[in-house]
Amino acid sequence: MKWHEMGAEEAIEALHSNDREGLGQEEARKRKSRYGTNELKEAEKPSAILLFLAQFKDFMVVVLLGATLISGLLGEYIDAIAIIAIVLLNGILGYYQERRAEKSLEALKELSAPQVAVLREGEWRKCPSKELVPGDVVKFAAGDRIGADVRLLSARGLEIEESALTGESVPAVKSVEPLYSGNPGLGDLVNLAFMGTLVTRGSGTGVVIGTGMGTAMGKIADLIQNAETMITPLQRRLEQLGKILIIVALLLTVLVVGIGVLQGHEMYEMFLAGVSLAVAAIPEGLPAIVTVALSLGVQRMIKQNSIVRKLPAVETLGCASVICSDKTGTMTQNKMTVVKIWASALEWDVTGTGYSPEGGFFRNDKKIIPAENKYLQQILTFGALCNSARLFEKEGVYALDGDPTEGALLAAAAKGGLPKDKLLHNFRILEEFPFDSSRKMMSVIVEDSSGKRYAVVKGAPDVLIGQSKAALWEQKQQILSPFIRNSITQAVHSLASQALRTIAIAFKPLPSQGGITQFEAERDLIFIGLQAMIDPPRPEVKKAIRECRQAGIKTVMITGDHVITAKAIAKQLDLIPAGGRVMDGQELSTLSEEELKDAADDVYVFARVSPEHKLKIVKALQSKGHIVAMTGDGVNDAPAIKAADIGISMGITGTDVAKEASALILVDDNFATIKSAIREGRNIYENIRKFIRYLLASNVGEILVMLFAMIMGLPLPLVPIQILWVNLVTDGLPAMALGLDKPEDDLMNRKPRHPNEGVFARGLAWKVLSRGFLIGAATLIAFLVVYNREPEQLAYAQTIAFATLVMAQLIHVFDCRSERSIFERNPFGNPYLIGAVASSIVLMAVVIYYPPLQPIFHTVAIELRDWLLVLGMASIPTFLLAGSLLTRKS
Ligand code: ATP
């Protein structure tokens, strides 16, 4: 079909749809089953079997399997089978961990997938873009990503960036007229819009002509499978660490084996011991557990309303030292209500709440009828006409489709008996120039029933005063004299200092023929007056700001709103400490980057700024060494969001462009959610540190017990298969449970972590080595006590060593929960850990007491009295160091 050659009407008819009702649900369902979901086919995923096999390509596992082969060749079948069983068990655990991590990351992708506005059964609805079918009528505006290929039905100043398809970085200007130019290229099809391209300006509607692989994007889908790396800095560092550990482990293993052979141990025995030790020393489970901890953390964050789009952000969150946050909707509720109207030095109070048309107008506490005051009536009328929002009633409640600022203006007009639908009987809207935060105004061209045309403009008062040359003042139109200008400015200040957001309304008559540009429409205006609305702060934000301050994180408000309004809200939120200051967009523009860098630390509120300023602010703060989190919602916010260390977008009001640039999406647009995300980010990092500490100390303990024994000329204190069991089975679950630990109480009283901090910072290396040393020593002592008592019962002494090692690790795991000491936290505070430790104890007991397993694991049932020795020795490493720490403290 040559859609571009058809008229819009013709196209929609050809698709058996219409632009008033859209498709019916039933019809949409049928079409979906005929055409499939509107998705690009993803590159083939590795199958479950491949993923399972991938678990065995790990270097150490290959070594182990080699060892199995040699054992088998030497006729040691029990050893060989046991090793295979353990390797398989480990592989299955690894497979499930990876699957789980992958699943939750996939779910995440789904959550942050764009929604589209679609007309179904006469009602505009939001739905995931994969639900679109041919014939669906969709609408879009600046910041949206087009959900499918569409034939445009209407376009208002519509510009779309199509570089992904055409390579052209300048946005294409779109229109609806049919084209007849033979075989145009994609870039020339100005009456079509393509799946995946971005609306950079204006708005439009269209009918879906192609979905999924049938779209222009689908045809080149293979080219654009974007493989975003989902690896965090810590994971990268751990990979490097892993390589170093392999070398260290191999050297130590060679040392142990060398000494063992010199001391007269059998070659085969030392070979297996060497392999087991190498496996013990290398924390091969670590990367998988890190991934699981990250993905489980990400799931917890979803429950707290933040969606992580880029995994590395989880770590960076813990380093954040400044949060730059929008005011409207993030710190405030974005539930606007007009409470005062001002014109020509007269002020009226407006009552009523929400978007309901109930409420009245009062002057000096006396109720008045708006129709009796010409200016009041005009402000209300123009406020409702120059407006792209819509109020509707559903089950007795008034709701808003659109921007709350505009909703408030519609509600105010309705209270004055001037609802928009009624006004539209008398006025026709000929053109609309939408609001954007850089211009800080919007305008419409209207024609009244007598054919007179006007430009109606609404916007930030200071901007509109600048664009006006006259004002309606004392019953007539007058030149905007310095006196009138001053009076208006004073009124703005007085309203703003009451934390009210003010919108000015102005207009000008136009000739009744001919078009007009946006620039022309918005200059030489006649100023009418002001509408002032409340937007109360979100109740939880004040506390969140305080908590951030305690956590060493500065909060900065960035707003397009008036300086005085911003300051008044900041005061209510207790945002500006003594010595802190407010800077406006004008001053910001005049400062060089260097000057801003010097000033930035003292500024807590940037007001009347444009989105372009945000980038400058981010850069200034970053050059001061800050790790900056920055929020935004519009198209113009995207560069700053991208440049910030943690770009944050809004789930409700955010555009697709902002969301895609961001690392984190706030589902509820709420500032307090940023604080929760930071807390969770810090916690995830600390938990990863906890199990690194646990696993490495355990490994150090295992190596040392073998090394000491070899040096002392003793028999092997642990049988290779026992070492494997400890490492690949009993260690894993407690480590996972540490990944689920709750944050320590003082987590948000600490300073942000330095982003370059190494894995072993803050004394972690010392903790690993000292605990590891003591675990090794305690195990060896327990072994020696029993071995000296009954030298002929070697297997019994080895079983004691095995039990002591496992128990020492399982006690030590509780110590790992705190940066300070085991006595700082309730040991029962993490139920997963209790469960994990219990199951590890059971797994240990099974190989000690279950007769069929005893020959395989070379174990002997431990007598009750010897458990005293085991537990006594096992608790020494933890309690000795923790105790010494306590005495040092007191
Ligand atoms: P934030 O605090 O998130 O930056 P903001 O809404 O205060 O949000 P902008 O959206 O950039 O910032 O708005 C800047 C100014 O433009 C507002 O103070 C207001 O005076 C004016 N304004 C806001 N919305 C509209 C609109 N829909 N039409 C006309 N003027 C508007």
Side-chain angles (χ1 to χ4, degrees):
M1 283 266 191
K2 296 211 161 174
W3 297 106
H4 60 279
E5 291 180 3
M6 294 182 185
E9 297 281 311
E10 203 185 333
I12 203 163
E13 263 169 38
L15 288 155
H16 305 290
S17 181
N18 72 74
D19 59 356
R20 289 168 313 281
E21 295 281 317
L23 295 177
Q25 278 306 84
E26 185 51 32
E27 178 61 22
R29 206 188 46 74
K30 272 195 211 141
R31 292 190 188 197
K32 192 174 161 194
S33 60
R34 178 151 22 118
Y35 296 103
T37 51
N38 176 31
E39 280 175 307
L40 297 183
K41 266 204 218 89
E42 297 238 344
E44 286 285 309
K45 284 246 174 62
S47 66
I49 294 186
L50 277 182
L51 187 64
F52 180 64
L53 288 180
Q55 305 302 318
F56 303 99
K57 67 176 198 295
D58 193 274
F59 174 62
M60 272 309 111
V61 177
V62 173
V63 171
L64 266 181
L65 291 176
T68 319
L69 191 70
I70 294 178
S71 310
L73 289 180
L74 292 176
E76 303 284 346
Y77 298 121
I78 293 186
D79 277 358
I81 292 170
I83 296 177
I84 286 193
I86 293 179
V87 169
L88 275 179
L89 194 57
N90 187 46
I92 292 169
L93 281 179
Y95 169 78
Y96 274 107
Q97 284 173 0
E98 210 159 293
R99 252 290 139 100
R100 184 159 183 194
E102 202 175 85
K103 279 239 173 75
S104 70
L105 291 179
E106 253 166 38
L108 209 60
K109 250 207 230 148
E110 195 98 317
L111 270 178
S112 52
Q115 299 261 324
V116 291
V118 58
L119 185 64
R120 293 258 176 95
E121 293 174 345
E123 206 176 287
W124 285 106
R125 302 177 184 169
K126 284 254 168 199
C127 80
S129 64
K130 69 172 184 197
E131 299 297 327
L132 290 181
V133 294
D136 262 333
V137 175
V138 290
K139 69 173 175 183
F140 31 80
D144 289 344
R145 199 174 265 286
I146 304 284
D149 283 1
V150 301
R151 167 67 170 92
L152 294 175
L153 301 176
S154 71
R156 277 184 175 159
L158 184 63
E159 289 181 20
I160 300 185
E161 200 256 302
E162 300 177 332
S163 62
L165 280 175
T166 60
E168 179 58 69
S169 60
V170 180
V173 178
K174 295 288 179 177
S175 60
V176 290
E177 283 73 41
L179 304 166
Y180 298 102
S181 59
N183 249 344
L186 275 185
D188 302 319
L189 294 170
V190 292
N191 57 15
L192 303 187
F194 303 102
M195 177 191 218
T197 56
L198 288 167
V199 183
T200 51
R201 263 179 66 103
S203 59
T205 56
V207 58
V208 173
I209 53 174
T211 57
M213 293 308 279
T215 59
M217 202 56 109
K219 298 199 178 98
I220 55 162
D222 298 339
L223 301 178
I224 50 151
Q225 294 288 355
N226 49 346
E228 205 165 323
T229 49
M230 280 296 233
I231 185 164
T232 77
L234 180 68
Q235 285 177 307
R236 199 165 303 129
R237 241 177 252 161
L238 284 177
E239 253 175 32
Q240 287 158 1
L241 175 72
K243 287 190 187 125
I244 300 173
L245 284 179
I246 287 187
I247 297 172
V248 174
L250 289 181
L251 286 178
L252 281 172
T253 309
V254 170
L255 190 70
V256 171
V257 172
I259 299 177
V261 172
L262 285 183
Q263 297 275 17
H265 284 279
E266 214 185 293
M267 262 316 245
Y268 172 69
E269 187 186 39
M270 284 322 291
F271 162 75
L272 261 198
V275 170
S276 321
L277 262 193
V279 173
I282 296 164
E284 59 279 300
L286 209 58
I289 302 183
V290 170
T291 313
V292 173
L294 282 170
S295 68
L296 290 180
V298 163
Q299 277 173 351
R300 282 199 299 275
M301 289 169 79
I302 294 175
K303 287 201 190 105
Q304 296 162 24
N305 284 330
S306 33
I307 298 176
V308 175
R309 286 195 66 249
K310 296 177 183 157
L311 205 51
V314 178
E315 270 169 43
T316 327
L317 271 172
C319 307
S321 59
V322 179
I323 307 173
C324 296
S325 168
D326 285 339
K327 170 180 74 70
T328 310
T330 313
M331 292 185 161
T332 65
Q333 301 180 10
N334 212 2
K335 287 192 186 134
M336 310 267 180
T337 314
V338 172
V339 290
K340 283 186 195 304
I341 294 183
W342 182 97
S344 181
L346 295 183
E347 193 174 287
W348 298 273
D349 293 312
V350 189
T351 59
T353 52
Y355 298 116
S356 125
E358 282 144 39
F361 294 77
F362 293 81
R363 184 161 155 68
N364 299 329
D365 295 330
K366 246 183 68 205
K367 189 162 174 125
I368 59 132
I369 297 162
E372 286 169 6
N373 185 297
K374 206 173 105 202
Y375 292 171
L376 181 54
Q377 193 173 12
Q378 210 158 10
I379 282 194
L380 292 173
T381 304
F382 284 169
L385 286 176
C386 180
N387 200 312
S388 35
R390 192 175 67 91
L391 293 184
F392 58 95
E393 195 191 341
K394 205 170 184 181
E395 287 151 18
V397 183
Y398 282 84
L400 166 73
D401 174 15
D403 174 9
T405 301
E406 303 198 329
L409 299 178
L410 290 180
K415 285 171 194 169
L418 300 162
K420 189 170 179 180
D421 20 350
K422 196 168 133 196
L423 290 172
L424 288 179
H425 295 311
N426 298 328
F427 291 93
R428 212 154 62 87
I429 295 173
L430 303 177
E431 188 140 19
E432 181 179 314
F433 302 111
F435 173 76
D436 91 63
S437 319
S438 302
R439 246 163 68 241
K440 297 190 172 47
M441 41 184 180
M442 87 168 261
S443 53
V444 289
I445 310 298
V446 297
E447 189 179 70
D448 68 14
S449 43
S450 63
K452 280 196 210 124
R453 288 188 183 183
Y454 304 93
V456 179
V457 187
K458 78 175 197 301
D462 28 343
V463 176
L464 250 62
I465 295 171
Q467 300 296 94
S468 297
K469 63 172 203 289
L472 298 185
W473 193 261
E474 291 175 348
Q475 309 306 322
K476 57 179 185 286
Q477 182 180 322
Q478 300 194 24
I479 298 284
L480 192 66
S481 65
F483 170 75
I484 299 179
R485 182 189 299 263
N486 266 344
S487 308
I488 298 173
T489 308
Q490 264 176 25
V492 172
H493 286 193
S494 143
L495 293 168
S497 60
Q498 300 163 52
L500 298 178
R501 175 181 177 85
T502 47
I503 299 285
I505 314 274
F507 78 110
K508 73 171 172 188
L510 296 175
S512 52
Q513 294 295 322
I516 185 169
T517 63
Q518 173 185 305
F519 179 77
E520 276 301 320
E522 293 176 352
R523 53 183 285 203
D524 297 336
L525 302 171
I526 303 160
F527 194 93
I528 313 176
L530 306 164
Q531 298 209 37
M533 46 192 87
I534 45 162
D535 177 20
R538 289 177 181 265
E540 60 280 29
V541 169
K542 186 170 175 181
K543 183 162 163 256
I545 292 175
R546 191 173 64 232
E547 284 174 22
C548 284
R549 191 171 297 147
Q550 275 161 2
I553 305 163
K554 175 183 171 184
T555 306
V556 178
M557 177 194 283
I558 300 189
T559 174
D561 216 340
H562 197 281
V563 178
I564 301 177
T565 310
K567 211 166 159 178
I569 301 264
K571 201 163 158 210
Q572 292 178 359
L573 292 171
D574 212 358
L575 177 84
I576 313 177
R581 56 172 297 231
V582 178
M583 184 182 279
D584 70 13
Q586 237 166 12
E587 183 182 354
L588 187 57
S589 303
T590 59
L591 295 186
S592 69
E593 250 173 51
E594 208 40 43
E595 286 166 327
L596 180 60
K597 182 179 160 193
D598 292 337
D601 267 344
D602 294 331
V603 182
Y604 285 77
V605 176
F606 289 96
R608 250 324 168 241
V609 295
S610 301
E612 298 77 45
H613 286 131
K614 284 185 168 179
L615 187 61
K616 196 167 167 184
I617 298 172
V618 168
K619 287 195 169 151
L621 287 166
Q622 283 175 331
S623 65
K624 283 226 103 173
H626 283 296
I627 300 297
V628 186
M630 167 68 86
T631 70
D633 47 18
V635 186
N636 311 346
D637 290 333
I641 295 181
K642 253 194 199 136
D645 301 278
I646 306 152
I648 304 174
S649 63
M650 302 298 149
I652 305 170
T653 57
T655 56
D656 294 342
V657 178
K659 282 182 190 160
E660 284 169 29
S662 69
L664 192 77
I665 301 177
L666 304 182
V667 176
D668 56 357
D669 291 13
N670 189 344
F671 176 84
T673 303
I674 307 178
K675 184 217 71 191
S676 316
I678 289 183
R679 185 178 135 101
E680 199 52 69
R682 286 187 176 193
N683 186 36
I684 293 172
Y685 190 85
E686 288 310 312
N687 284 351
I688 291 177
R689 266 171 65 91
K690 288 176 195 172
F691 60 69
I692 289 179
R693 173 180 163 188
Y694 165 68
L695 285 177
L696 291 190
S698 302
N699 291 355
V700 168
E702 289 154 29
I703 295 209
L704 288 185
V705 68
M706 296 293 275
L707 186 64
F708 292 154
M710 293 303 101
I711 292 173
M712 289 163 69
L714 296 169
L716 289 186
L718 293 166
V719 182
I721 209 87
Q722 294 169 350
I723 300 181
L724 288 181
W725 186 251
V726 172
N727 258 283
L728 299 182
V729 183
T730 59
D731 263 6
L733 287 176
M736 295 270 281
L738 279 180
L740 292 170
D741 213 7
K742 294 219 178 62
E744 282 188 78
D745 296 338
D746 67 341
L747 188 73
M748 288 302 270
N749 293 334
R750 302 179 194 161
K751 293 270 158 290
R753 188 179 82 242
H754 194 282
N756 294 335
E757 183 186 288
V759 181
F760 293 114
R762 287 179 275 143
L764 199 76
W766 160 249
K767 282 181 182 143
V768 166
L769 291 175
S770 58
R771 301 314 197 261
F773 175 83
L774 286 176
I775 289 174
T779 307
L780 191 67
I781 293 172
F783 172 74
L784 273 178
V785 169
V786 177
Y787 180 62
N788 285 337
R789 198 174 67 197
E790 306 150 74
E792 69 291 350
Q793 300 279 358
L794 178 59
Y796 189 67
Q798 284 170 330
T799 310
I800 292 283
F802 170 64
T804 310
L805 180 72
V806 172
M807 289 312 299
Q809 293 181 357
L810 293 183
I811 293 173
H812 174 232
V813 75
F814 288 96
D815 196 18
C816 295
R817 292 183 63 223
S818 168
E819 284 284 306
R820 289 161 296 169
S821 110
I822 192 170
F823 304 115
E824 298 280 340
R825 298 195 79 179
N826 170 10
F828 302 104
N830 179 348
Y832 303 104
L833 190 59
I834 302 294
V837 167
S839 59
S840 290
I841 291 178
V842 170
L843 284 169
M844 172 192 69
V846 167
V847 297
I848 294 178
Y849 289 104
Y850 184 50
L853 289 180
Q854 285 173 338
I856 300 174
F857 284 88
H858 302 264
T859 46
V860 179
I862 297 177
E863 289 165 32
L864 202 55
R865 61 173 180 144
D866 282 332
W867 274 111
L868 272 183
L869 172 73
V870 169
L871 293 178
M873 291 317 294
S875 39
I876 283 180
T878 296
F879 289 108
L880 198 67
L881 280 181
S884 78
L885 221 87
L886 271 192
T887 39
R888 221 184 309 154
K889 225 162 75 184
S890 57

